[in-house]
Amino acid sequence: MSPAIHRIGAALVVAIGLFGAFAGLFSGGDEAEAVPAPTVAEVDRDRLPADAEILVDTAAAAMAEVTSVRFAVERTGEPVYIDTVESIELDAVIGRFSAPADADAIVTVTVDENLVTELGAVALGPEIWLSNPITGEFETLPPSYDIDPSRFFDPTGGWQPLLAGLADRTLVDDGDAYVVRGVAPERELRRVTAGLVRADDVEVVLWLDPFSALVERVEFSVDDPRYGVSAWRIDLTDYGVGFTITAPEGVSA
């Protein structure tokens, strides 16, 4: 068997194992019961005013209080690497966050520009584990990698200051979601992308829940001086559901 076929086969085994290990990321088995939809009267009474300043200020306060959320990150355009030797490109992340700093995720990556595979990542406080791209076994995050899943959602250190510091706020749509455009501080944008985005202040587009102002989606493009132009989309769902994040099998927390 050629080395390339061996690597692809190993990657498939890893992916199958990861989807089993992180079934909660997709099944929703640990979610609370669904909340009934609001009545027409409640909708009329509780919808936030269509004012960009009020919406963003409300969003900043609401995001600081988040205790759990499900997140999905997608990156396209020029590659962004999660390792110091720049061989592993980040493509997407699907994960869960539970305050204060626990998270698990499946990270889709491209290795050496031709092999697409999935890595598992788990953070429990200061402890971070990443699955080996070939064996699938979890190991303490090597110093040459930068992919802490808990850093994709930091309520008080990332999202709250990002929204509070959002400049040039403009309401562009007041339909099913409020859509607001503004300029995000580079420092905070870096924090909500796990340190992977590095650029000047960036124009972002935010989709906000019309009743709570919680962020449903954010999209932006950055011209990173290291890699070039990449486009990002972050979707946030299942606020406050509550997730149980556990250490991977075979490691000691």
Side-chain angles (χ1 to χ4, degrees):
M1 181 181 295
S2 70
I5 295 176
H6 176 77
R7 290 179 65 191
I8 293 173
L12 290 174
V13 171
V14 170
I16 294 170
L18 290 176
F19 280 108
F22 292 102
L25 289 174
F26 305 95
S27 68
D30 56 358
E31 296 180 7
E33 293 184 3
V35 177
T39 65
V40 173
E42 290 172 331
V43 168
D44 290 341
R45 184 185 71 240
D46 296 336
R47 189 179 177 94
L48 291 165
D51 180 285
E53 294 295 331
I54 294 174
L55 289 168
V56 174
D57 287 344
T58 304
M63 295 297 279
E65 299 297 323
V66 170
T67 57
S68 61
V69 70
R70 200 181 291 267
F71 58 88
V73 181
E74 180 181 0
R75 183 216 53 81
T76 56
E78 293 302 312
V80 173
Y81 299 95
I82 66 170
D83 63 325
T84 56
V85 298
E86 299 187 351
S87 66
I88 302 180
E89 306 170 22
L90 177 75
D91 297 326
V93 184
I94 297 176
R96 305 177 299 177
F97 169 87
S98 181
D102 296 344
D104 58 10
I106 293 177
V107 184
T108 303
V109 297
T110 299
V111 182
D112 296 333
E113 299 183 351
N114 59 27
L115 174 63
V116 178
T117 189
E118 288 84 20
L119 307 178
V122 179
L124 287 177
E127 299 292 333
I128 307 169
W129 299 274
L130 185 71
S131 67
N132 184 290
I134 301 301
T135 67
E137 296 181 357
F138 279 88
E139 305 164 349
T140 299
L141 185 70
S144 59
Y145 286 75
D146 187 12
I147 188 68
D148 177 353
S150 69
R151 294 172 62 204
F152 282 105
F153 194 89
D154 183 345
T156 57
W159 283 99
Q160 190 279 333
L162 183 149
L163 291 162
L166 194 72
D168 301 332
R169 304 170 181 180
T170 304
L171 181 67
V172 296
D173 192 3
D174 60 355
D176 292 339
Y178 284 130
V179 183
V180 176
R181 180 182 292 113
V183 178
E186 182 274 339
R187 178 180 177 183
E188 270 62 58
L189 194 63
R190 184 186 300 192
R191 287 180 174 176
V192 301
T193 56
L196 296 174
V197 163
R198 299 181 187 178
D200 294 330
D201 294 353
V202 173
E203 183 177 87
V204 301
V205 180
L206 297 154
W207 281 254
L208 306 178
D209 182 276
F211 308 105
S212 67
L214 289 169
V215 177
E216 296 179 343
R217 183 196 311 166
V218 60
E219 294 183 358
F220 56 90
S221 294
V222 296
D223 189 355
D224 191 309
R226 301 166 300 168
Y227 307 130
V229 179
S230 60
W232 295 72
R233 170 173 169 167
I234 303 174
D235 290 287
L236 302 170
T237 58
D238 292 343
Y239 282 101
V241 166
F243 306 112
T244 302
I245 311 296
T246 59
E249 291 185 9
V251 304
S252 57

